[in-house]
């Protein structure tokens, strides 16, 4: 059992967010060419090796910059509650939002207007499969990402990382208990739901705070349950810096009687999965060892990389994957 005090356990922000694509070739094109993110790991779903698992991030895969996708042949998501409903991607300032307005228009990507949401300038749009995305001004908050030199987006306007993330639930009470009492998050403010102003979004803060460390919880009892599918989010992962805190989080979930996956080694980081009371899948993930453990940083994402335990099956696994270049 860890001897870390519960008051010493805090997430430093989001680690990654994983969504679902049924058109992984177009997904790769959109996130690397339109959004200018780097494909930093081309691998497979470790629980379903028939599917790609693609990771898009900054130039080096800094924790907190990753948007990842499972490649599954499924129908589109049916939107509703019990799900993550909006993924925000951070940019530095208002000038970047102006750049992105023009870029999205040039690429014929439907977008909203720049608006203030929860005190930050925000621009909404969707990816080709309907995943709800936003660009949010962070003013330089959070860890400094490493720009990707080969990106079609100038370094000063590149996506800096994740956050805030919005999830939607029918009832706040039990989710609030887990966020505050188990996960040590702090409720800091509320605002009217932009999609239904009669309802409220509750903002929870992790660690030192900032947009990279805010979980927004919309309470929408009027919505039906979501049905997972392409364009939907599979899970959201929270950053813990090292193995000591990771083990302590496992102990803490056990002490609270929350059913979890137990500790899972994903090779690039260590994971721990559990569902909050409204069914949204959470992951706790370590910052290290990182994506350079099995590839040269200069060629990240160029070819399919498998964790060592899958290497004996490489030929079989690759034969089941579709070309995406």
């Amino acid at each position: 059992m860890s001897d870390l005090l519960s008051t010493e356990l805090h997430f430093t922000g989001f680690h990654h967010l994983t969504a679902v694509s049924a058109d992984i070739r177009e997904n790769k094109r959109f996130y690397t060419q339109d959004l200018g993110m780097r494909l930093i790991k081309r691998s497979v779903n470790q629980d379903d090796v028939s599917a790609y698992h693609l990771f898009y991030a900054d130039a080096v895969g800094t924790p907190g910059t990753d948007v990842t996708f499972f490649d599954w042949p499924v129908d589109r998501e049916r939107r509703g509650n019990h799900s993550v409903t909006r993924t925000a991607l951070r940019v530095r300032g208002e000038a970047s939002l102006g750049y992105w307005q023009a870029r999205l228009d040039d690429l014929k990507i439907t977008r909203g207007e720049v608006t203030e949401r929860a005190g930050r300038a925000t621009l909404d749009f969707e990816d080709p499969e309907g995943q709800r995305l936003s660009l949010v001004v962070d003013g330089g908050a959070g860890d400094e990402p490493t720009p990707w030199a080969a990106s079609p987006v100038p370094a000063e306007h590149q996506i800096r990382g994740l956050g805030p993330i919005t999830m939607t639930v029918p009832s706040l009470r039990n989710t609030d208990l887990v966020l505050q009492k188990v996960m040590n998050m702090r409720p800091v403010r509320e605002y009217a739901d932009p999609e239904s102003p009669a309802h409220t979004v509750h903002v929870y803060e992790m660690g030192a705070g900032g947009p990279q460390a805010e979980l927004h919880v919309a309470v929408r009892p009027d919505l039906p349950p979501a049905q997972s599918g392409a364009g939907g989010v599979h899970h959201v992962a929270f950053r813990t810096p090292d193995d000591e805190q990771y083990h302590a989080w496992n102990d803490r979930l056990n002490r609270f009687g929350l059913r979890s996956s137990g500790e899972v080694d994903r090779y690039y980081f260590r994971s721990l999965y559990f569902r909050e009371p409204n069914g949204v899948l959470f992951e706790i993930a370590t910052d290290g060892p990182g994506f350079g453990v099995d590839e040269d940083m200069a060629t990240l994402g160029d070819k399919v990389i498998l964790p060592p335990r899958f290497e004996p099956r490489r030929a079989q696994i690759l034969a089941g994957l579709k070309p995406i270049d």
Side-chain angles (χ1 to χ4, degrees):
M1 299 288 283
S2 170
D3 59 1
L4 272 176
L5 297 175
S6 64
T7 54
E8 296 174 334
L9 278 179
H10 292 280
F11 301 115
T12 54
F14 297 104
H15 186 280
H16 66 270
L17 176 138
T18 296
V20 178
S21 173
D23 186 357
I24 201 68
R25 186 184 183 114
E26 171 62 12
N27 177 275
K28 173 180 174 287
R29 189 208 63 77
F30 177 81
Y31 282 88
T32 59
Q33 296 181 31
D34 290 358
L35 295 193
M37 302 177 77
R38 185 181 185 188
L39 175 61
I40 50 95
K41 189 62 64 176
R42 186 189 305 231
S43 193
V44 294
N45 183 322
Q46 294 182 25
D47 301 313
D48 173 13
V49 296
S50 69
Y52 280 109
H53 191 181
L54 302 186
F55 296 73
Y56 309 106
D58 71 351
V60 296
T62 302
T65 68
D66 303 13
V67 181
T68 92
F69 286 87
F70 295 147
D71 160 39
W72 285 332
V74 292
D75 293 334
R76 288 283 181 94
E77 175 198 37
R78 185 183 71 192
R79 295 177 175 179
N81 58 35
H82 302 281
S83 64
V84 173
T85 47
R86 186 165 292 277
T87 303
L89 304 169
R90 294 178 286 110
V91 295
R92 184 174 291 278
E94 301 260 0
S96 291
L97 285 189
Y99 167 87
W100 278 101
Q101 284 181 288
R103 181 171 178 80
L104 294 175
D105 289 346
D106 288 346
L107 294 170
K108 297 182 171 49
I109 296 169
T110 302
R111 62 168 177 84
E113 296 300 324
V114 174
T115 186
E116 183 176 299
R117 183 174 304 152
R120 299 188 183 96
T122 302
L123 176 64
D124 293 341
F125 65 107
E126 296 181 4
D127 80 2
E129 294 180 280
Q131 183 174 347
R132 287 162 282 183
L133 303 171
S134 299
L135 294 167
V136 172
V137 170
D138 71 3
D143 292 347
E144 195 66 23
T146 301
W148 179 32
S151 175
V153 176
E156 65 270 23
H157 299 312
Q158 286 180 26
I159 290 166
R160 291 170 44 80
L162 285 165
I165 302 299
T166 302
M167 57 185 272
T168 300
V169 298
S171 172
L172 183 64
R173 181 178 180 274
N174 290 336
T175 293
D176 174 82
L177 286 172
V178 167
L179 296 181
Q180 289 201 59
K181 303 302 183 184
V182 181
M183 301 177 72
N184 286 334
M185 294 190 190
R186 305 178 298 278
V188 290
R189 62 188 182 280
E190 301 174 356
Y191 62 95
D193 189 325
E195 296 184 6
S196 178
H199 296 95
T200 301
V201 181
H202 302 259
V203 178
Y204 293 82
E205 192 174 71
M206 300 170 263
Q212 77 286 354
E214 282 184 3
L215 180 67
H216 293 201
V217 183
V219 181
R220 295 291 305 274
D222 57 312
L223 294 177
Q227 182 172 313
S228 61
V233 172
H234 186 269
H235 65 268
V236 59
F238 302 92
R239 288 179 66 181
T240 194
D242 54 42
D243 284 353
E244 182 184 16
Q245 292 209 21
Y246 168 68
H247 298 316
W249 279 114
N250 188 38
D251 292 344
R252 186 167 175 79
L253 295 181
N254 288 335
R255 284 199 297 272
F256 274 93
L258 284 175
R259 184 179 178 183
S260 79
S261 63
E263 297 184 358
V264 180
D265 187 351
R266 294 300 190 195
Y267 194 59
Y268 310 111
F269 45 82
R270 279 166 274 287
S271 297
L272 180 64
Y273 302 86
F274 67 101
R275 291 191 183 274
E276 58 80 40
N278 275 292
V280 177
L281 183 59
F282 286 171
E283 177 183 352
I284 298 170
T286 58
D287 279 358
F291 294 106
V293 295
D294 56 1
E295 278 188 276
D296 187 294
M297 297 299 285
T299 56
L300 289 177
D302 288 358
K303 62 181 181 180
V304 175
I305 298 295
L306 302 176
R309 71 180 185 274
F310 295 123
E311 276 297 338
R313 299 167 55 196
R314 170 172 281 273
Q316 174 192 355
I317 290 171
L318 294 187
L321 299 174
K322 59 182 76 71
I324 58 173
D325 293 320

